[in-house]
């Protein structure tokens, strides 16, 4: 095989841009996610004809129009289903699902869960702005209690879904969170997701300028974010704060915020391990919510398990080894068939 045949494709962000006019509201966080996705994909060594983006319905779901790759804008909440079939029928494709908190966790919640538990080699990006933006501002499954919208004029009384907790409960093998305006971190997480073998689930805090502006200000405002965000690093203690003097310690099965030097020493802090096969620690981190805790960003879990495709291939190979190659016609004419007269 020649060297040219094995060389990785060299793509620019321009190569990945479609000729479609981007139609999101001015200031929308989706612009940043689109830009960082293009940057990330220039480094993963996958040609454009081997990439596909699948979306459902919502502002985020316009994403495939703006990528110069294969793309499918499907029906509400069903992107995981389309992506599963696409991936199984085309094992050479790198398949991404782009969805929002309404599309992926409301009407599509069940489909998202089953994609995650099956560990199909698909990457899921969940844009979380805690609002229905496309339909002009109703509260969503991730809206916080007290959120005032057109459909909750005196404040939502519902408990919000925590996307990372849902993903971990479904035993997703890669679970991460990042933020639309933290561009370097966003690119790094997208690259990690692209490299993961199995279902990767990435929650992205995304600002809706029109209907929920500033909902993540505590995590994006440079003057206060250090006190409210904890950047996870594998193998390192969980430290945060402007002066790097705060950390997370386990008290029994409950995490607690401590001050280093006052409440404890550095050796007492919780050490992050994203490779634990048991997701209990990651689950605890996913449930840390502002203002009681800093909210974690980074990779909560990254483990390797057989993918759905690998298990299916093995099952088929075992059947052939046991019974020999067959024909579909023979299957139709096998046992338990009858003639209707």
């Amino acid at each position: 095989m020649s060297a040219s045949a094995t060389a990785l494709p060299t793509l620019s962000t321009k190569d990945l841009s479609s000729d479609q006019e981007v139609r999101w509201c001015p200031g929308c966080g989706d612009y940043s996610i689109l830009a960082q996705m293009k940057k990330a994909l220039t480094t993963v060594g996958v040609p454009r004809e081997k990439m596909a983006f699948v979306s459902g319905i919502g502002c985020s779901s316009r994403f495939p129009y703006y990528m110069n790759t294969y793309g499918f804008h499907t029906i509400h909440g069903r992107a995981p289903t389309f992506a599963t079939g696409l991936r199984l029928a085309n094992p050479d494709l790198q398949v991404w699902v782009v969805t929002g908190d309404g599309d992926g966790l409301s009407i599509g919640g069940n489909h998202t869960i089953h994609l995650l538990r099956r560990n199909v080699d698909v990457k899921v990006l969940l844009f979380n702005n805690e609002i229905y933006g496309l339909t002009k501002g109703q509260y969503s499954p991730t809206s916080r209690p007290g959120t005032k919208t057109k459909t909750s004029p005196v404040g939502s009384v519902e408990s919000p879904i925590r996307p990372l907790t849902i993903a971990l409960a479904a035993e997703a093998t890669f679970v991460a969170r990042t933020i639309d305006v933290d561009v370097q971190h966003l690119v790094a997480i997208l690259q990690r997701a692209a490299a993961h073998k199995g279902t990767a689930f990435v929650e992205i805090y995304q600002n809706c300028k029109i209907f929920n502006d500033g909902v993540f200000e505590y995590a994006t405002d440079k003057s206060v974010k250090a006190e409210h965000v904890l950047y996870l690093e594998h193998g390192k203690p969980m430290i945060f704060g402007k002066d790097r003097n705060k950390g997370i310690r386990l008290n029994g099965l409950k995490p607690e915020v401590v001050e280093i030097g006052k409440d404890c020493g550095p050796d007492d802090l919780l050490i992050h391990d994203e490779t634990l096969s048991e997701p209990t620690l990651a689950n605890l981190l996913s449930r840390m919510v502002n203002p009681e805790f800093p909210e974690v960003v980074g990779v909560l879990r990254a483990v390797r398990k057989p993918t759905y495709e690998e298990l299916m291939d093995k099952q088929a190979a075992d059947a052939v080894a046991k019974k020999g190659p067959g024909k579909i016609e023979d299957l139709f004419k096998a046992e338990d068939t009858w003639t209707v007269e």
Side-chain angles (χ1 to χ4, degrees), residues 8-288:
L8 296 176
T10 301
L11 294 173
S12 67
T13 56
K14 187 176 180 180
D15 294 328
L16 293 162
S17 301
S18 77
D19 59 358
Q20 298 298 300
E21 179 185 358
V22 181
R23 294 184 177 181
W24 285 315
C25 301
C28 176
D30 290 0
Y31 285 99
S32 176
I33 301 172
L34 177 64
Q36 307 330 313
M37 170 57 82
K38 293 174 186 173
K39 290 180 185 176
L41 291 183
T42 62
T43 67
V44 300
V46 178
R48 287 181 305 170
E49 62 270 22
K50 296 295 184 183
M51 299 178 188
F53 285 81
V54 185
S55 66
I57 298 296
C59 296
S60 64
S61 295
R62 298 188 61 81
F63 203 94
Y65 290 109
Y66 308 139
M67 295 294 298
N68 191 16
T69 63
Y70 287 111
F72 302 86
H73 191 176
T74 69
I75 54 179
H76 208 353
R78 271 59 174 180
T81 309
F82 282 83
T84 297
L86 184 63
R87 169 66 190 171
L88 296 183
N90 301 274
D92 293 336
L93 278 182
Q94 183 181 79
V95 180
W96 296 79
V97 166
V98 181
T99 186
D101 45 304
D103 182 65
L105 296 175
S106 184
I107 188 172
N110 208 30
H111 296 276
T112 300
I113 288 172
H114 291 289
L115 174 66
L116 296 172
R117 75 173 178 84
R118 289 173 178 141
N119 199 30
V120 183
D121 195 1
V122 167
K123 328 303 175 188
V124 181
L125 305 182
L126 187 128
F127 297 11
N128 184 8
N129 55 20
E130 299 189 3
I131 203 77
Y132 283 98
L134 186 69
T135 50
K136 305 189 184 307
Q138 300 83 10
Y139 73 97
S140 83
T142 57
S143 296
R144 300 162 200 219
T147 300
K148 293 184 179 180
T149 69
K150 295 176 180 178
T151 49
S152 56
V154 294
S156 169
V157 297
E158 298 179 10
S159 295
I161 285 178
R162 295 167 179 165
L164 300 184
T165 304
I166 294 290
L168 290 163
E171 298 279 349
T173 53
F174 182 92
V175 179
R177 177 191 282 150
T178 185
I179 304 172
D180 56 2
V181 295
D182 194 343
V183 295
Q184 292 183 339
H185 190 266
L186 176 54
V187 170
I189 292 296
L190 295 176
Q191 290 169 332
R192 287 284 309 270
H196 180 71
K197 187 70 172 175
T199 308
F201 181 85
V202 180
E203 178 190 24
I204 305 173
Y205 282 173
Q206 176 257 326
N207 192 47
C208 176
K209 184 73 174 177
I210 306 301
F211 297 108
N212 210 16
D213 190 25
V215 68
F216 299 115
E217 195 169 44
Y218 61 90
T220 57
D221 185 332
K222 293 182 179 178
S223 67
V224 298
K225 67 177 292 185
E227 300 295 328
H228 301 292
V229 175
L230 193 162
Y231 284 83
L232 296 173
E233 295 181 86
H234 177 65
K236 295 186 178 180
M238 298 183 193
I239 297 175
F240 70 101
K242 182 179 179 181
D243 299 322
R244 302 288 292 169
N245 64 336
K246 297 178 183 176
I248 300 297
R249 181 178 65 181
L250 271 187
N251 182 358
L253 292 178
K254 183 179 180 182
E256 62 180 4
V257 175
V258 292
E259 184 174 331
I260 303 170
K262 178 182 177 183
D263 303 318
C264 68
D267 293 341
D268 297 316
L269 298 179
L270 195 56
I271 305 296
H272 182 49
D273 187 347
E274 65 186 34
T275 66
L276 294 174
S277 58
E278 170 56 51
T280 301
L281 176 60
N283 185 58
L284 290 176
L285 298 177
S286 77
R287 298 180 60 79
M288 288 170 39

